Amino acid sequence: MLSTRLILAAATLSIVVPVIAQTSTPAPAPAGPPGAPDASRVVAGSYKVDVNHTQVVWTLDHLGITPLTGAFGASSGTLEIDPSKLSAAKVNVTFNIADIATTSKGFTEHLLKADLFDVAKFTNASFTSTAVVTNGTSARVSGNLTIKGITKPVTLDMKFYGAGANPLSKKLQVGFSGTATIQRSDFGLGYSVPRVGDAVMLSLVGAFEKIG
C-alpha cells in the first residue's frame, strides 16, 4: 500500500512541477523593430546613403483617366547631420536613370529614349541641398535638382522616420520620408503635355548609414 502511495505521489509531482515552472516563468516579450521614431537616437556625423532602401516614387496624371507611377532607386549619396545644429545639415543623393522601374517593360524603355530622359546622354539625376528649415521632427529642405543636365530649385517636405542599429550591418542608420512636386517640362520632359500631366508628385524615402 505504501509503495502504491509513493508511486501515485511521484506521478502527481511529475505533472504538477512542470506546470508550476511554466506558469511561474514569464514569457519573453516579443522583439520589436531595431529602429524607432526617437530623435535622441540620431548621432552627429557623416552618413552614406543606403542604396537598398532609398527611393523616389513619382506619380502624374495620365490622360485624366488614371495616375501613372514609377520609381528611381538611389545609386550614391551622403548626409551630414548634427542634431544640435539641424539647420546646417547637408544632403546629396544621385540616381541612376537607367534603373528606372515601372510595371511595363515597353513603357520603361520609352522613358529612357531621347524624347524623355535621353539616358544615352544623361545617365544620372541628382539632388543637393542648399538650406534646411526644421520644425520639430519635420523639415523643409531646399536644394537643386538636376535632370537631363537642367538644374532647378526644389523644396522637399521631409519628416524624420526613425533611427537605430541595423542588425545586419551593426551600423547606426537614420531614415526620413517626404514629398515634393515638380513640373516635368522644367527639365525637358514635356512629352505629351497637356494630355499627360505636367505636375509630378514625388514620394521620397531616404535611409542613411553612419560612416565610422
Side-chain angles (χ1 to χ4, degrees):
M1 176 67 72
L2 180 59
S3 61
T4 300
R5 290 176 179 175
L6 289 174
I7 291 172
L8 290 173
T12 301
L13 286 173
S14 68
I15 295 172
V16 172
V17 170
V19 171
I20 293 175
Q22 290 174 12
T23 56
S24 62
T25 303
D38 180 357
S40 68
R41 293 185 173 206
V42 179
V43 177
S46 300
Y47 293 72
K48 65 179 181 179
V49 73
D50 177 355
V51 298
N52 296 315
H53 301 96
T54 298
Q55 64 269 334
V56 175
V57 176
W58 51 265
T59 303
L60 53 80
D61 174 77
H62 181 247
L63 306 177
I65 299 173
T66 58
L68 186 62
T69 299
F72 292 101
S75 57
S76 63
T78 60
L79 168 68
E80 298 287 338
I81 189 169
D82 182 342
S84 67
K85 301 176 182 178
L86 288 175
S87 61
K90 296 180 180 180
V91 62
N92 69 82
V93 182
T94 297
F95 301 87
N96 185 354
I97 297 299
D99 291 338
I100 190 172
T102 75
T103 56
S104 166
K105 180 180 178 181
F107 179 51
T108 300
E109 291 173 348
H110 183 205
L111 289 173
L112 300 178
K113 292 181 178 179
D115 54 358
L116 285 168
F117 283 102
D118 197 2
V119 73
K121 292 182 180 178
F122 305 101
T123 57
N124 295 322
S126 64
F127 174 82
T128 301
S129 67
T130 56
V132 176
V133 178
T134 61
N135 180 14
T137 58
S138 299
R140 287 179 64 81
V141 182
S142 300
N144 293 318
L145 176 64
T146 301
I147 302 174
K148 291 185 72 173
I150 301 170
T151 301
K152 297 286 184 179
V154 172
T155 298
L156 315 178
D157 292 309
M158 302 300 296
K159 186 176 180 62
F160 170 66
Y161 191 88
N166 185 311
L168 299 179
S169 66
K170 311 302 181 184
K171 297 285 188 177
L172 177 65
Q173 290 193 325
V174 296
F176 307 87
S177 62
T179 60
T181 300
I182 63 172
Q183 304 298 313
R184 62 190 179 93
S185 59
D186 286 347
F187 299 92
L189 299 169
Y191 182 86
S192 288
V193 172
R195 288 181 295 163
V196 178
D198 195 20
V200 181
M201 295 171 286
L202 306 178
S203 178
L204 319 167
V205 176
F208 297 85
E209 179 178 283
K210 194 169 188 306
I211 300 171

